Amino acid sequence: GDSVTQMEGPVTLSEEAFLTINCTYTATGYPSLFWYVQYPGEGLQLLLKATKADDKGSNKGFEATYRKETTSFHLEKGSVQVSDSAVYFCALSETGFQKLVFGTGTRLLVSP
Amino acid sequence: KAGVTQTPRYLIKTRGQQVTLSCSPISGHRSVSWYQQTPGQGLQFLFEYFSETQRNKGNFPGRFSGRQFSNSRSEMNVSTLELGDSALYLCASSYGLAGADTQYFGPGTRLTVL
């Protein structure tokens, strides 16, 4: 079945550092890929998405590129802020289905 | 536009009881999905409804059920509660059925089973 693998956390960074959170996937078809963020005590918020190969999703300084050849969708940000501290989830959904398959989540801690 | 709302936000039940959780999707959204989030299993898909029909179901026992009403509001029910059902239950809505459609999540219902 479909699956998503994320790097283990927590990822601990200083403010203004560069962020990369790795995400790879296994899917039978051509899925859409998503990054969601969860702040403490809240639900999930969509951060960005990409629906086909070579698409780049971007939002609030975060970027991720859909790489079909490496089945990856790594999340990057050039300069993190303390307010970016949260749990980040990579997810996929197959064409025609609304079922999201999530990775285990990566906790990001940014210190001043 | 108002977001996805879930009620109640917190619930405490005892083993053997049953519980009903409610979800109101974003206005105009016709697809509603439910997910269970636990520290051990992470985020797992429960089921998805579109136009009052269950389209997809995750790997959960029959104690977990749901339904969708004509106004797209959805409820999920868990009968004969077990300690392992303690979790954050998240509802998500989307406009259509395409896998590329963004799912918007509610704040969740935190269920504690004692």
Side-chain angles (χ1 to χ4, degrees):
Chain A
D2 296 349
S3 66
V4 174
T5 302
Q6 283 182 244
M7 60 189 291
E8 291 283 332
V11 173
T12 305
L13 295 173
S14 298
E15 207 165 24
E16 299 184 3
F18 184 86
L19 168 71
T20 299
I21 300 177
N22 290 337
C23 170
T24 57
Y25 68 91
T26 302
T28 52
Y30 300 93
S32 295
L33 302 175
F34 304 82
W35 277 101
Y36 280 88
V37 59
Q38 187 175 36
Y39 297 98
E42 298 184 12
L44 301 174
Q45 297 177 26
L46 177 71
L47 186 57
L48 52 83
K49 73 177 188 182
T51 58
K52 60 183 188 298
D54 300 325
D55 266 2
K56 177 187 278 190
S58 61
N59 185 27
K60 299 180 183 178
F62 291 90
E63 293 182 342
T65 301
Y66 190 142
R67 302 284 188 201
K68 187 169 179 293
E69 63 276 13
T70 54
T71 61
S72 65
F73 193 54
H74 304 321
L75 182 68
E76 296 182 336
K77 187 176 185 184
S79 176
V80 293
Q81 305 300 312
V82 172
S83 57
D84 293 327
S85 297
V87 181
Y88 292 81
F89 292 92
C90 184
L92 67 80
S93 67
E94 289 279 16
T95 302
F97 293 94
Q98 288 298 80
K99 171 186 173 182
L100 283 167
V101 176
F102 286 92
T104 53
T106 302
R107 183 175 300 278
L108 170 65
L109 300 170
V110 181
S111 56
Chain B
K1 220 183 232 188
V4 177
T5 58
Q6 293 186 246
T7 57
R9 290 293 310 277
Y10 302 91
L11 265 179
I12 300 176
K13 294 286 187 179
T14 55
R15 277 180 299 173
Q17 287 186 310
Q18 77 164 18
V19 67
T20 298
L21 312 182
S22 181
C23 171
S24 293
I26 291 171
S27 177
H29 285 191
R30 296 168 63 190
S31 174
V32 173
S33 299
W34 289 89
Y35 296 84
Q36 182 196 63
Q37 185 176 24
T38 60
Q41 299 298 317
L43 280 154
Q44 294 186 287
F45 171 80
L46 279 157
F47 26 64
E48 178 215 341
Y49 289 87
F50 183 86
S51 292
E52 303 178 65
T53 300
Q54 186 181 91
R55 287 196 345 124
N56 207 349
K57 190 177 193 304
N59 189 25
F60 279 82
R63 300 185 296 107
F64 291 81
S65 63
R67 59 178 176 167
Q68 186 181 35
F69 302 95
S70 58
N71 62 358
S72 294
R73 191 176 70 85
S74 177
E75 288 181 347
M76 67 163 282
N77 184 276
V78 188
S79 63
T80 319
L81 284 166
E82 300 177 0
L83 294 179
D85 297 333
S86 293
L88 181 67
Y89 290 88
L90 293 164
C91 166
S93 76
S94 62
Y95 177 74
L97 296 175
D101 280 352
T102 298
Q103 293 191 43
Y104 295 89
F105 283 81
T109 293
R110 172 79 60 187
L111 172 64
T112 302
V113 182
L114 303 175

